[in-house]
Amino acid sequence: MTDTLVFPAEALVAAVTAVVRAAGSSEREAAQVAANLVEANLRGHDSHGVGMVPRYIDAVLEGGLKLDAHVAVRADSGALLTLDGCQGYGQVIGAEAMALGIERAKAHGVCVVGLAHSHHLGRIGHWAEQCIDAGLVSIHFVNVLSRPIVAPFGGRDARIGTNPFCVGIPRPGKEPIVLDFATSKIAQGKTRVAFNKGVELEPGTIIDDHGEPTTNPRYTVIEPIGALLPFGEHKGSGLALICELLGGALAGGATAGPVTDGRRRVLNSMFSIIVDAGKLGTAANLAQEMESFVAWSTASPPAPGVERVLTPGEPERAMRAARLVAGVPVDAVTWGEIVAAGGKVGLPAGEIEAMVRRR
Ligand code: NAD
């Protein structure tokens, strides 16, 4: 096990802003990227938090991540928008795409957004939360263009990405429902976190480079690469395929295939459906049925070792509340990689270290 450092969230935002800024982004972009990544850490998804910074910086240096890019509208028929993310920071592109989609969903009752060629969109729940803040329901199918890392059900090597699926539903006067997960058994970043921490994975999560079961996270982090397995066997694998076809193809992007150039960029395409239940005429019914169903289903007697039945989104909110108080843990290897990424773009290690007050 490696050491874990703990930082106040705002100190981590300042340090990451400085690294992203040093790589050439505007102050605004750097702040947006840093706030989004730290938010993922706060919500307990360290796989999509500040640990992504070294990869982003490499992608900038290789030219696969374009600085200060904005969404470009490729087709617009009112309630349908086809957008190009122009390989810009997903933290900016995702926010711009959702803002456009929200505006249209408010006007027309629904907006279908095809967003292609964004750089990594991070935690997809962030985009559902943006829609929730506007009072809207949203569904998101996402594909990942990077080196394939997930084996299809029945296969022995990696052919697809971790293709996340997400649904957000606002609950008037209550905390929302946010279901947001990778279609692999665990998110790829979680294997990186395990590798950096020096811990084993649960059995049944990954296979090695010969297609054999293993618990060693190295097989999804360093050569020779094996594969993550899909969640829910053929069902998760089927949903991953749908994310590929809707999130990748229908949204106007590309689908997964062999990547041989070894580049560090990771591109996402996302197919989103944003719905105004008020305009659908079902807002009152949704609110009433949702409350009675949530009360009914969460009243199930807890299984051994379980405190109570939760709704999707609750674990992240609880983690956020705890980490805002206790600080954000970052393992020492990941922190070292972030400091080294700063060094690659001319930010001295001492300057980054000076920005963080460790707990
Ligand atoms: P996960 O396995 O932790 O599942 C998270 C989901 O399950 C959340 O909706 C959470 O609220 C819910 N949940 C967890 N425990 C629960 C419980 N006890 N009861 C009820 N609901 C519960 O998530 P993951 O698959 O590791 O994905 C992590 C993140 O990675 C997600 O935010 C996802 O969007 C992101 N991701 C992004 C990409 C990308 O390319 N941008 C790719 C893959 C994953």
Side-chain angles (χ1 to χ4, degrees), residues 45 47-48 120-125 142-144 162-164 178-187 190 266 268 310-316:
H45 292 293
S47 55
H48 288 70
H120 192 234
L121 286 162
R123 190 179 71 89
I124 305 306
V142 182
N143 89 326
V144 191
T162 52
N163 296 3
V178 183
L179 178 65
D180 171 29
F181 57 73
T183 48
S184 48
K185 252 185 188 147
I186 60 171
K190 287 185 179 157
V266 38
N268 281 144
L310 303 175
T311 54
E314 275 198 88
E316 284 78 10

